[in-house]
Amino acid sequence: METFFDKVEKYIAIALLGLMAIIVVSATAEVGYVVATNILEPPGFFIGVEDLFQVFGLFLMVLIGLELMTSIRDYLKDSRIHAELMLLVAMTAVTRKVVILDASAIDPIMMFGIGFIIIALAVGYFLVRRSSVEPTPN
């Protein structure tokens, strides 16, 4: 039997899924707009390096939104948060940060920190995947 709090939790997750869908659609439209304006601006069909970083960052933001939508949808199905999917979202977010990062304007210790985060997420993902794989019988 579903308790009151289970129902509230379910409706909040549905509301979040709807809001995330609106955001992802809006962000996709923004990516399309940015690509179209960059291609149509003189000299035409040429996107500069700075604009490419912006476009790639926007693409990755849309992917992060899609992954979050998937995690909310899976939460509604199973009533549990999937650690593997959350690690993928985090890796995509860090990847986005690395793509849009201006390496010349950042402190070297920050680069080491980002590298450590990437390694920690990769190890965490590996361990979660390894623990969820069932052993094959001999």
Side-chain angles (χ1 to χ4, degrees):
M1 174 162 167
E2 255 188 337
T3 67
F4 171 75
F5 293 110
D6 291 334
K7 289 180 182 178
V8 169
E9 189 176 2
K10 179 181 174 183
Y11 291 127
I12 289 172
I14 290 170
L16 286 174
L17 187 60
L19 292 170
M20 187 60 69
I22 292 168
I23 291 170
V24 169
V25 168
S26 173
T28 303
E30 183 176 352
V31 170
Y33 175 78
V34 168
V35 169
T37 55
N38 282 323
I39 287 176
L40 296 176
E41 285 179 356
F45 296 102
F46 177 76
I47 299 177
V49 174
E50 292 297 321
D51 292 331
L52 278 176
F53 283 122
Q54 178 189 11
V55 170
F56 289 156
L58 290 172
F59 268 109
L60 288 171
M61 283 302 294
V62 172
L63 289 176
I64 291 168
L66 287 173
E67 288 175 357
L68 287 172
M69 284 179 63
T70 302
S71 69
I72 295 169
R73 191 183 67 228
D74 288 350
Y75 177 77
L76 283 170
K77 286 182 194 173
D78 302 340
S79 293
R80 64 186 185 101
I81 296 173
H82 297 271
E84 182 180 339
L85 190 55
M86 290 291 97
L87 287 167
L88 286 173
V89 170
M91 284 192 277
T92 305
V94 172
T95 302
R96 179 191 176 274
K97 183 66 177 172
V98 170
V99 166
I100 64 171
L101 190 66
D102 181 10
S104 65
I106 193 166
D107 192 25
I109 195 75
M110 183 72 97
M111 293 295 280
F112 283 114
I114 291 172
F116 181 76
I117 290 170
I118 291 170
I119 291 169
L121 288 171
V123 168
Y125 181 77
F126 171 77
L127 292 174
V128 168
R129 287 284 297 188
R130 186 174 172 198
S131 70
S132 66
V133 174
E134 295 184 23
T136 57
N138 291 334

